[in-house]
Amino acid sequence: MKEIVPPAIVRNQFESVRELFSKNVVPSYGRFDLAFSHGAGSYLFDVAGRKYLDLGAGIAVCCLGHAHPAIIEALIEQSKKLIHVSNLYFTEPQGRLAAGLVKRIGAGKVFFCNSGAEANEGLFKVARKFGHDEGRFEILTATNSFHGRTLAGIAATGQDKIKKGFEPMMPGFRHVPFNDLSAMRAAISPATIAIMIEGVQGEGGVTPATPEYLLGLRALCDEKKLLLFMDSVQCGHFRTGKFQSFQRILENVPGGEKFLPDGISMAKSLGGGFPIGAFWVRAPFADLLGPGTHASTFGGTPLACAVALKIFEVIEREKLDENARKLGDWMLNELQRLGKNYPSVVKNARGLGFMLGLELAEKIPAFAASDKSAAIQFTNRLHAAGVLVIPAGTQVIRLLPPLNLKPQEAGEGISKIEEVVKSLA
Ligand SMILES: Cc1ncc(COP(=O)(O)O)c(C=O)c1O
């Protein structure tokens, strides 16, 4: 690898990087005391050269790990040809990527954007358009859901802490307990036009939807003429062992093979670290957003689409969906074993494939002295052990590793997590 030497001010000096941030960057993130300079495969290296096993993958983004040669090649080759043209014109990579998504989901069409929040915004506009002439506009989402940080995103998100300070909320969203079909039925009003859920709630603490819930929501939406949307930004793109989480949740479930939502939002792993988002809309609704109704300058550039197409190629060639399922199942088993062996530290473990959550026990004595949440304190200890994970809420840590994680890396992660758990027991 050709070394990219950073300017002297940031070389090996965490403090000087932090100072650049404290003086110049809007402090909207609670950041950990780590500054990274480069990565390779499942590992990241901080500015002092210390190595970390990355089981967070940039919050489910770096699906092929860091500095993957196929992504580098796609970036170089496509950027020599064409990086960007306006969506006033056609480009082949965008058309091919849309076809790839339609092939893997079902009959419909795709709109490209840049992020998960923007993909959800697009689906909200599809719903508004669909219900407009009848005066229906309301979208029901789940308690503890997460749908992004734009104004519509925070209105859609079922967590008060995300909304606080930004009131009044954009109208037209209400929240209903997750995995509770009768609560959803009861919440539908004459103004309701759509329901949006995550197949596996991520930020809310790694909670998969049940098969009964998914099939029940489909039937409910058909009965009440509502659109069923799935926010697949975090749980999609093979993370659960299938392209879409509902394909995994409903496999071998009678009637599951016929299930399709009406819209799916995607981002994160779609570009493996290169920004790209998208939403898919099922065929009957695919032309609702006609010319002039929706747009995004950078949506679906040839460069982003070339990277996304290359990622599909690598995942399928190397059967990384199966890797996520097999290794993920093994890791889940191991995390559940920790729950059995150390109940004073680990309450339980759950998840599907490479979307795993470890729920910490309520009162871990070693954490009592600090006002930081258990999830943050546990994550800090893992950082000290050389492993990166992502907190979810106050009690859960998430493992969202790259889809090409190797068995020995999974083993290394589990034994370091066990060391930290043991030290707290
Ligand atoms: C389920 C879900 N939806 C939407 C988003 C927002 O995506 P972005 O940060 O790309 O806007 C996220 C981000 O974590 C997410 O997990």
Side-chain angles (χ1 to χ4, degrees):
M1 186 178 69
K2 195 167 120 190
E3 205 193 347
I4 304 158
V5 182
I9 185 171
V10 296
R11 193 148 180 87
N12 300 338
Q13 284 180 30
F14 168 73
E15 285 308 330
S16 40
V17 179
R18 181 159 58 186
E19 202 181 321
L20 284 173
F21 273 63
S22 61
K23 285 198 178 132
N24 305 294
V25 178
V26 170
S28 65
Y29 297 94
R31 295 180 199 266
F32 291 102
D33 284 348
L34 291 171
F36 291 106
S37 72
H38 62 285
S42 303
Y43 293 92
L44 273 172
F45 297 83
D46 70 13
V47 287
R50 187 158 185 252
K51 189 177 173 186
Y52 298 80
L53 177 64
D54 185 6
L55 298 182
I59 320 188
V61 169
C62 306
C63 59
L64 299 185
H66 301 281
H68 193 286
I71 295 185
I72 295 169
E73 191 198 344
L75 283 167
I76 292 172
E77 293 310 315
Q78 183 59 44
S79 60
K80 284 186 202 160
K81 282 199 266 182
L82 188 63
I83 291 178
H84 172 87
V85 284
S86 162
N87 276 306
L88 292 170
Y89 314 105
F90 298 96
T91 58
E92 189 183 333
Q94 185 177 136
R96 282 179 49 212
L97 182 59
L101 291 168
V102 167
K103 184 183 96 185
R104 287 168 180 88
I105 299 171
K109 288 183 182 168
V110 178
F111 177 90
F112 290 102
C113 52
N114 306 282
S115 68
E118 197 187 354
N120 285 334
E121 292 269 346
L123 286 180
F124 301 151
K125 281 181 74 175
V126 169
R128 287 266 176 124
K129 200 80 176 23
F130 180 58
H132 187 262
D133 294 348
E134 297 172 8
R136 295 197 289 158
F137 59 89
E138 184 185 63
I139 298 170
L140 302 177
T141 69
T143 311
N144 269 336
S145 59
F146 184 81
H147 298 300
R149 296 287 193 153
T150 55
L151 280 176
I154 62 173
T157 292
Q159 301 185 47
D160 287 344
K161 66 172 192 240
I162 304 286
K163 305 173 192 278
K164 211 166 158 239
F166 299 105
E167 299 88 352
M169 282 295 108
M170 183 184 153
F173 293 93
R174 270 190 302 127
H175 315 304
V176 182
F178 189 54
N179 273 334
D180 186 340
L181 197 57
S182 41
M184 191 60 92
R185 176 177 284 277
I188 294 168
S189 81
T192 308
I193 192 63
I195 292 171
M196 175 179 272
I197 57 150
E198 292 158 86
V200 183
Q201 288 194 333
E203 306 290 317
V206 189
T207 312
T210 63
E212 302 73 40
Y213 188 55
L214 291 182
L215 295 178
L217 284 182
R218 182 64 276 174
L220 184 60
C221 286
D222 290 344
E223 179 194 325
K224 304 279 185 189
K225 293 200 170 35
L226 309 178
L227 298 176
L228 177 58
F229 292 155
M230 293 191 71
D231 179 337
S232 149
V233 167
Q234 187 167 150
C235 63
H237 224 73
F238 306 100
R239 182 148 296 282
T240 59
K242 288 271 193 176
F243 181 51
Q244 290 296 316
S245 62
F246 64 81
Q247 294 163 338
R248 167 94 200 245
I249 293 167
L250 292 172
E251 66 185 358
N252 307 320
V253 174
E257 66 293 341
K258 287 202 218 98
F259 176 94
L260 259 188
D262 300 309
I264 299 176
S265 53
M266 296 165 261
K268 290 196 182 272
S269 283
L270 183 58
F274 195 87
I276 179 169
F279 67 80
W280 167 92
V281 195
R282 198 162 68 84
F285 313 105
D287 293 331
L288 276 169
L289 295 183
T293 56
H294 196 49
S296 180
T297 294
F298 293 123
T301 64
L303 187 58
C305 293
V307 171
L309 282 163
K310 183 57 80 178
I311 289 171
F312 267 139
E313 204 182 296
V314 173
I315 290 176
E316 286 182 352
R317 187 178 62 231
E318 298 182 5
K319 298 192 170 45
L320 298 181
D321 49 346
E322 286 172 25
N323 189 55
R325 175 191 293 256
K326 246 176 50 200
L327 261 190
D329 286 355
W330 178 81
M331 289 174 89
L332 178 60
N333 246 316
E334 288 294 294
L335 296 174
Q336 286 169 340
R337 175 179 63 77
L338 296 184
K340 283 200 195 88
N341 293 353
Y342 307 97
S344 63
V345 184
V346 175
K347 189 168 172 189
N348 69 43
R350 53 182 179 262
L352 289 170
F354 273 168
M355 187 162 181
L356 299 170
L358 185 76
E359 184 169 350
L360 301 167
E362 289 298 327
K363 288 199 167 75
I364 298 174
F367 290 166
S370 165
D371 57 359
K372 291 208 167 87
S373 73
I376 299 274
Q377 293 193 62
F378 193 88
T379 301
N380 275 327
R381 287 186 180 229
L382 274 176
H383 288 170
V387 177
L388 303 175
V389 296
I390 313 283
T394 56
Q395 293 299 124
V396 178
I397 58 143
R398 264 174 298 175
L399 275 54
L400 304 158
L403 302 179
N404 56 358
L405 188 78
K406 297 187 179 75
Q408 75 268 20
E409 293 165 346
E412 178 191 339
I414 292 294
S415 56
K416 289 195 169 159
I417 292 171
E418 182 158 9
E419 267 170 41
V420 170
V421 168
K422 244 188 203 167
S423 74
L424 294 166

